Amino acid sequence: MRTTYCGLVSEALAGQTVTLMGWAHRRRDHGGVIFIELRDREGHVQIVCDPDRPEMFKIAESVRNEFCLKVIGKVRARPADKENANLASGKVEVLCHELEVLNASVTPPFQLDDENLSETTRLTHRVLDLRRPQMQKNLMLRYRVAMEVRKFLDHNGFVDIETPMLTKSTPEGARDYLVPSRVHDGHFFALPQSPQLFKQLLMVAGFDRYYQITKCFRDEDLRADRQPEFTQIDIETSFLNEEEIRGMFEGMIRTVFRNAIGVDLPGYPVMTYADAMHQYGSDKPDLRVKLKFTELTDVMKDVDFKVFSTPATAPGGRVVALKVPGGGDMSRGEIDGYTEFVKIYGAKGLAWIKVNDVQKGREGLQSPIVKNLHDASIAEIIARTGACNGDLIFFGADKAKVVNDAIGALRVKIGHSEFGRNHGLFEDKWAPLWVVDFPMFEYDEEEDRWNAVHHPFTSPKDGHEDLMDTDPGACIAKAYDMVLNGWELGGGSIRIHRAEVQSKVFSALKITPEDAKVKFGFLLDALQYGAPPHGGLAFGLDRLVTLMTKAESIRDVIAFPKTQRAQCLLTGAPSLVDEKQLRELHIRLRNAAVAG
C-alpha cells in the first residue's frame, strides 16, 4: 500500500508518484489551498491539496489533527523561498491527487508539539505521547542500540539464551516481586532481579559466551534512573580475566556509540573504588565536574570546633573540604540553599569559608567558623585546598558515608548549576570511567553483620581469600563498574567457581551451610562439576539510551514506564483483583478491598 515513509521523501523522488500513510500533524488553509503536514515514524512531509480536484479537496477540508490518512500524489520541488530547513523533506512537497481518511480522530488532549506537558499527562495518554517526534526518535535509537549490541556480541561468538522469568526467591539485595502459585498452595515464584545464577549455570554447562537482553524486576524505592522493571544487557563468559572482560566490553560500548549516534568516546581511565570515594565521595563520579575533595580528617582532630573534631576522632568519621573556585561570588541565599540541599543526604549543616584575601590569613577569611579554628588548621586548609582570593570552601564533617553522600552530591549540584558552568567548573563532554577493586563486603551496623557489596558470588582478589575469615572489611573483590557522566552504565565481576571459596563468602555473610543449601543449593551442586573460571557484567539498556538522548529520566526511553510510585497511569496497574482469583491462589487479604 505505502511506497515510502513520509520522512524519506526527498529530491531523489521528484516527479514520481508516491503513496504515503500517516497522521495529520498540522493542517493549514491558505486561502483556497490546503496544506497538510503528514507525519510517520521517519518524519514529516508537506502535502499540498489544490481545489482543482474537488472530491479530494472536500476530504482535505474535513481533516483535523491526528486523522490517519492515505495520500497518493506527485513529488515536486518547493519554491526556493518556501523550503523548510527543519525537515529532511523540506526541499520537496507532495501534490495530492487522492486523499483517504483511514480513521478520524477525536480532539487530542494536547498538541503533540507542546513542550510543557506534565509527566502525569504524558504517561496517562502515553499512546499519544509516543507519537511525539522526540519520543519516536528515542525509541528508534533504543532499537538501534539493541541491534548494535546484538551484532557486536554475535560477531564475538556470544549466544543469546533465555533464562526463566518464574524462578526461586533468593537474597540479592532488593525485594523480590513474588508470584503466588495456584498449583502449590502457599508457595511463590519470584520474578528475577537479574539472571545472575542462571548465567553462571550456563557457564558450568559449557556455553562459554552467553548474552541476553532481558527484563529484570526489583521492588525498590524509585528515582529518575530506576524502574520496577528494567532492561538489562546481560553478559557472561568463561576463561577470560577481568582485564580482558573490561577490554572487550569497553570495545562494545565504543562500537555502539559510534554506530548508533556517531560519537567516538574518549579513553577510559581506570580508578580504584578507594580513590573514587576519597576524591569524589562516589563510586560513580561525574568527571565532567572539575571539583575534588580535600581530606582534612587528620587536621581537625585537635581543633576546638566540636563539629569538626568529633567526627575527626571518631571511628569511621571523616572531614573534607570542597573548594569552589570563584565561589566567593555566591550570595548568602545560595549558600543557605546548598545547606538545605545537603540535609537531604543526612548532613546536619554545611560549614563554609569565603577567601577574601589569602595573604591576610585569618583576617582575610569570612566565615562564622573561623574563630573556632586555630592558626595551624587554617593554614593547612588553605595550603591543602590551594584556595585563592575569591574562592569558597565548603566543609563536610560526619560519618564517612554521610560526608561522601552529602558533599559528593553537593559537588555535582554545584558543577551542573548555572554558576558552575559560568565559572568553568563543568566541561560538557563524554566522560567514561572504569571503577575497579570494590570492597567485597560492607558492614551493617544495625544488624551487626557484613553484607556483600555486589552479590555473594563475586570472587575475591587472589590472595584475599583468607581475609574473609580474619578481616572481611579489607577483602577486595574482582569487581568493576563502567561509569559514564556520573551514571553507572554497567557493572560486573569475576565469579566464584570453586565451592570452597564460595563457602568462605557464605561464612563471612553469616549464611549457614544449611541456609546456603536451601537458598543456593542448585548453584553449589553445579559448581562441583568442573565449573570453569568465569565472569561477566550487565549494562542497563534504559540508562545507556537515556545518556545517549540526554533525556532527564529513563522513563523517556521506555515505551510504557511506571511512575515513581510504581504505577502505570495508562493501564491503571497495579489494580484490584476479584475474590475468585484470590481464592484460586489461596490468598486472603486483610483490611483491603477487592474488585467485584
Side-chain angles (χ1 to χ4, degrees):
M1 297 172 68
R2 172 175 54 194
T3 60
T4 188
Y5 283 101
C6 299
L8 301 182
V9 177
S10 67
E11 296 167 282
L13 296 175
Q16 297 184 29
T17 297
V18 295
T19 301
L20 307 174
M21 296 183 184
W23 288 266
H25 187 70
R26 191 174 286 105
R27 172 189 172 277
R28 308 187 307 277
D29 190 335
H30 285 200
V33 179
I34 293 174
F35 296 89
I36 298 173
E37 193 173 329
L38 195 66
R39 183 194 74 243
D40 60 21
R41 77 178 200 192
E42 297 296 333
H44 299 221
V45 68
Q46 178 168 281
I47 310 298
V48 181
C49 303
D50 284 338
D52 55 357
R53 296 178 185 269
E55 186 175 340
M56 176 274 295
F57 193 77
K58 184 176 181 180
I59 296 173
E61 289 181 312
S62 72
V63 168
R64 296 295 180 268
N65 286 2
E66 299 311 310
F67 275 34
C68 187
L69 306 176
K70 174 182 178 180
V71 173
I72 299 176
K74 181 172 287 188
V75 180
R76 68 183 188 186
R78 289 197 194 194
D81 61 339
K82 301 295 183 183
E83 292 181 356
N84 186 346
N86 295 321
L87 295 178
S89 62
K91 291 186 177 181
V92 295
E93 59 191 13
V94 176
L95 180 63
C96 187
H97 293 170
E98 299 179 35
L99 179 63
E100 179 183 350
V101 176
L102 299 175
N103 209 341
S105 171
V106 298
T107 302
F110 54 81
Q111 295 294 321
L112 267 64
D113 54 4
D114 186 348
E115 297 298 327
N116 297 310
L117 296 172
S118 71
E119 188 174 59
T120 297
T121 298
R122 291 178 53 206
L123 295 183
T124 301
H125 304 281
R126 188 60 161 184
V127 175
L128 291 178
D129 184 46
L130 289 175
R131 287 186 183 178
R132 297 192 307 123
Q134 187 57 54
M135 291 302 299
Q136 296 259 315
K137 290 177 183 177
N138 287 356
L139 291 188
M140 292 299 289
L141 175 60
R142 183 185 177 106
Y143 161 75
R144 290 197 302 274
V145 168
M147 286 303 298
E148 289 298 332
V149 167
R150 291 186 183 280
K151 286 191 290 186
F152 180 92
L153 293 173
D154 182 69
H155 179 73
N156 283 278
F158 285 79
V159 180
D160 185 353
I161 304 176
E162 295 178 351
T163 54
M165 284 293 160
L166 296 175
T167 184
K168 181 182 177 69
S169 179
T170 57
E172 293 189 43
R175 288 181 292 271
D176 285 326
Y177 278 101
L178 299 178
V179 181
S181 170
R182 179 184 59 81
V183 177
H184 301 282
D185 188 0
H187 290 66
F188 293 82
F189 294 105
L191 299 180
Q193 294 186 33
S194 77
Q196 179 62 49
L197 299 180
F198 285 103
K199 66 184 179 184
Q200 290 192 247
L201 293 174
L202 288 169
M203 295 300 103
V204 180
F207 296 94
D208 65 312
R209 293 197 171 189
Y210 141 94
Y211 86 96
Q212 189 180 187
I213 299 180
T214 186
K215 286 289 186 186
C216 299
F217 306 86
R218 293 179 187 173
D219 185 6
E220 58 186 350
D221 295 333
L222 305 182
R223 57 186 187 225
D225 61 345
R226 284 181 178 173
Q227 283 278 288
E229 53 179 320
F230 56 95
T231 303
Q232 189 163 289
I233 305 168
D234 199 55
I235 307 166
E236 196 81 1
T237 182
S238 298
F239 310 118
L240 294 183
N241 62 34
E242 54 186 307
E243 289 79 13
E244 291 168 329
I245 289 174
R246 291 205 313 264
M248 174 176 286
F249 296 108
E250 179 179 323
M252 184 185 83
I253 295 301
R254 287 183 182 280
T255 299
V256 169
F257 267 78
R258 184 182 307 114
N259 294 347
I261 61 173
V263 167
D264 284 313
L265 291 175
Y268 277 67
V270 178
M271 182 182 298
T272 66
Y273 170 89
D275 285 346
M277 299 304 294
H278 181 74
Q279 297 179 48
Y280 305 104
S282 171
D283 60 1
K284 47 182 182 295
D286 187 345
L287 298 186
R288 297 173 299 172
V289 177
K290 300 178 180 179
L291 299 173
K292 291 184 180 181
F293 289 8
T294 299
E295 189 64 48
L296 294 175
T297 307
D298 59 319
V299 177
M300 297 302 171
K301 289 183 176 181
D302 64 347
V303 299
D304 293 333
F305 193 36
K306 298 299 183 184
V307 172
F308 286 177
S309 61
T310 299
T313 55
R318 189 178 191 194
V319 182
V320 303
L322 184 73
K323 184 192 72 172
V324 182
D329 294 339
M330 286 187 189
S331 68
R332 184 59 187 266
E334 289 176 295
I335 293 174
D336 289 344
Y338 286 131
T339 300
E340 292 304 309
F341 173 75
V342 297
K343 290 179 181 179
I344 298 172
Y345 299 89
K348 300 178 184 68
L350 185 63
W352 54 272
I353 294 175
K354 281 189 177 183
V355 181
N356 296 327
D357 190 341
V358 73
Q359 296 300 322
K360 292 183 178 180
R362 178 188 299 273
E363 301 305 317
L365 305 180
Q366 177 186 343
S367 168
I369 71 167
V370 170
K371 63 180 181 292
N372 299 311
L373 302 176
H374 52 63
D375 290 343
S377 64
I378 291 174
E380 194 65 17
I381 290 169
I382 298 299
R384 290 195 185 186
T385 61
C388 300
N389 295 346
D391 291 349
L392 174 66
I393 305 171
F394 286 116
F395 298 87
D398 209 310
K399 292 181 179 179
K401 184 179 188 315
V402 173
V403 170
N404 292 338
D405 290 349
I407 307 303
L410 178 66
R411 169 186 173 271
V412 173
K413 187 171 182 65
I414 292 173
H416 283 257
S417 69
E418 184 178 352
F419 172 91
R421 292 171 184 267
N422 290 341
H423 284 73
L425 306 182
F426 179 88
E427 187 175 358
D428 192 5
K429 63 178 182 177
W430 294 103
L433 171 71
W434 282 109
V435 177
V436 302
D437 293 353
F438 282 79
M440 277 282 288
F441 307 104
E442 58 186 355
Y443 191 68
D444 186 329
E445 293 184 357
E446 291 185 6
E447 297 193 8
D448 186 27
R449 59 174 294 169
W450 292 97
N451 291 323
V453 169
H454 280 74
H455 53 66
F457 315 108
T458 300
S459 176
K461 288 282 189 183
D462 295 339
H464 284 222
E465 294 88 349
D466 291 340
L467 289 173
M468 290 187 283
D469 297 326
T470 60
D471 188 4
C475 188
I476 303 299
K478 293 181 179 179
Y480 36 82
D481 280 0
M482 182 186 287
V483 176
L484 182 62
N485 292 3
W487 284 38
E488 180 193 331
L489 198 58
S493 65
I494 300 300
R495 323 303 184 188
I496 296 169
H497 69 283
R498 301 199 311 272
E500 66 272 17
V501 178
Q502 188 65 71
S503 295
K504 282 180 175 287
V505 173
F506 287 154
S507 177
L509 296 173
K510 295 186 178 179
I511 298 174
T512 66
E514 294 75 22
D515 285 343
K517 185 68 176 177
V518 170
K519 296 172 181 176
F520 310 111
F522 57 95
L523 174 65
L524 298 178
D525 289 344
L527 292 179
Q528 299 177 88
Y529 296 103
H534 60 282
L537 74 173
F539 292 97
L541 178 61
D542 312 303
R543 292 186 182 186
L544 176 59
V545 181
T546 301
L547 282 164
M548 287 178 158
T549 60
K550 299 188 177 179
E552 294 185 359
S553 164
I554 63 172
R555 291 187 288 276
D556 285 339
V557 301
I558 299 172
F560 301 105
K562 306 295 188 294
T563 67
Q564 286 194 324
R565 297 189 63 199
Q567 293 175 300
C568 175
L569 299 183
L570 176 68
T571 65
S575 60
L576 299 173
V577 298
D578 62 43
E579 182 66 33
K580 180 175 182 293
Q581 287 177 281
L582 293 176
R583 284 199 304 269
E584 289 177 341
L585 295 169
H586 319 290
I587 291 176
R588 178 182 300 157
L589 300 181
R590 295 187 300 177
N591 303 321
V594 295

